[in-house]
Amino acid sequence: MIKKLSDHKIKMVNRISPSQYYSAISCPYKLVLANSFGYQSLLPINANAHFGSVLHKMIELISKDVIIDEQSFLKNWSDLIKKKEDELKENGLVGITPLKYFVNDFAFKKNQVKNILLKKRDRLKNTIQPSSTNFFPEKRLENSDKTVTGIVDLIIENDSGTTILDFKTGKVFSDAIDESGITEQTIKIEYEIQLKLYAHLYFLMTKKYPKSLFIVTLRNDFIKVEFENSECEKIYLEALELLSTINFHISNNDMAAIVNPTIENCKYCSYRPACSSYSKWLTVNFEAVNDLFGRVEKINQFSNETIGLELKTQDKLILINGLPLEKKENFESLIGKIIILYNLKKTKQSLNATASSFTVVYE
Ligand code: SF4
């Protein structure tokens, strides 16, 4: 729970993936840090995200015909859940296991994946001719120098053309306001961009564009993403341009040009502990996010086997409760030091906070 940042060196970014591109537009430095830390997150990922990776793997196994019936479904489900829970325990996240008690709609989502299995054959029969159809699950698409590269969930090729499908286990739509002021649901822009980049990479590899792009949701909805070939090429060229701009600023040691701390950008950034711009931004924006910085003043022990920490932030004294008693000595060694606590639970009424299973302290 108490960590120190490991030594790291900012490296040139050799590649960008379609799934990273959109978030790198708003803060390119996020990609720089991810690359420098070997894409290993510096903060724990929440239970829903871990569960999402299990759901994604299940859909992949269904598309690969590894899961073909109820029996293989149940076997793979319990194996993957167990493997994920073992991994969480090894990483000190025993507090969010068993996953079924800590993720939203565990049983409902399991049933949704099962429905994908049940409907798969019928659904695909309606969209393609089975005679000459080839399925390519988990297919890598890349340009010739591998600077833009990613793995697409499923490609289906047949006589009438190619369909690229990407599976999404979370929310697919976001609200947008049209010209008349009416709120409508649109596909999340990052997903559209991701698929259009795949389309252009497919073109670069095969000299032909796919005929259709689809997002497949847990409800087994096939959501079509409309596209023009020229638009896909434009996005691809912009991705190359971004990569070149990032590397230009790295070689000039000018990170200020590519870092952009905002609530939206940083909220889910796993590299916050390594981002000095974020740490600086946090000193005046700590009320807007779930992280806190400050000097440790005092440690209090409570009768419920937890400890609390008094933190001096600017001129305010903030209390953080719910920290594990077994870490008391470690926290006492931090008295007088400046620390940052990430992933706290805060309330709107007070600056005081409570630790969660995901709280991590960096000194
Ligand atoms: S913490 Fe914020 S500013 Fe820093 S890299 Fe992440 S998104 Fe960018």
Side-chain angles (χ1 to χ4, degrees), residues 6-108:
S6 60
D7 284 342
H8 64 284
K9 200 168 163 278
I10 297 297
K11 299 186 218 157
M12 300 295 263
V13 181
N14 297 324
R15 64 187 162 87
I16 188 165
S17 76
S19 60
Q20 293 163 337
Y21 174 54
Y22 184 75
S23 84
I25 298 172
S26 48
C27 181
Y29 193 51
K30 190 188 285 193
L31 181 64
V32 175
L33 287 177
N35 181 55
S36 300
F37 283 93
Y39 296 89
Q40 296 298 310
S41 172
L42 300 179
L43 291 169
I45 298 165
N46 75 31
N48 289 317
H50 286 291
F51 185 51
S53 71
V54 171
L55 299 174
H56 203 274
K57 188 71 189 170
M58 286 294 289
I59 299 170
E60 181 198 321
L61 294 176
I62 291 170
S63 73
K64 282 180 172 171
D65 282 338
V66 174
I67 295 176
I68 47 167
D69 53 21
E70 175 89 12
Q71 200 184 2
S72 52
F73 179 91
L74 292 175
K75 165 101 180 65
N76 279 283
W77 178 266
S78 54
D79 287 353
L80 285 172
I81 292 287
K82 181 174 182 315
K83 193 172 163 210
K84 179 55 75 184
E85 288 175 348
D86 288 347
E87 182 191 310
L88 292 171
K89 286 173 193 162
E90 262 174 42
N91 292 325
L93 288 171
V94 67
I96 57 163
T97 61
L99 276 172
K100 63 181 171 186
Y101 298 130
F102 294 92
V103 298
N104 303 330
D105 304 324
F106 183 93
F108 179 64

Side-chain angles (χ1 to χ4, degrees), residues 23 26-34 258-279 281 291 342:
S23 84
S26 48
C27 181
Y29 193 51
K30 190 188 285 193
L31 181 64
V32 175
L33 287 177
I258 49 171
V259 71
N260 184 19
T262 65
I263 295 174
E264 277 310 307
N265 288 345
C266 305
K267 196 162 48 175
Y268 299 116
C269 176
S270 314
Y271 299 95
R272 302 194 303 279
C275 180
S276 54
S277 297
Y278 175 75
S279 305
W281 177 90
D291 302 337
Y342 298 89

Side-chain angles (χ1 to χ4, degrees), residues 263 266-267 278 281-282 285-292 346:
I263 295 174
C266 305
K267 196 162 48 175
Y278 175 75
W281 177 90
L282 185 65
N285 291 283
F286 60 90
E287 291 183 45
V289 292
N290 288 328
D291 302 337
L292 271 176
K346 289 187 180 173

Side-chain angles (χ1 to χ4, degrees), residues 1-2 296-300 307-309 320 323-337 339 341 355 359-362:
M1 152 170 252
I2 302 174
V296 183
E297 296 288 309
K298 196 175 163 201
I299 308 297
N300 302 311
I307 53 170
L309 192 150
I320 294 139
L323 293 157
L325 180 60
E326 65 268 22
K327 299 284 176 202
K328 188 173 177 223
E329 275 184 27
N330 305 69
F331 278 106
E332 279 171 345
S333 72
L334 296 177
I335 290 176
K337 290 187 181 168
I339 61 166
L341 295 105
T359 299
V360 171
V361 180
Y362 273 85

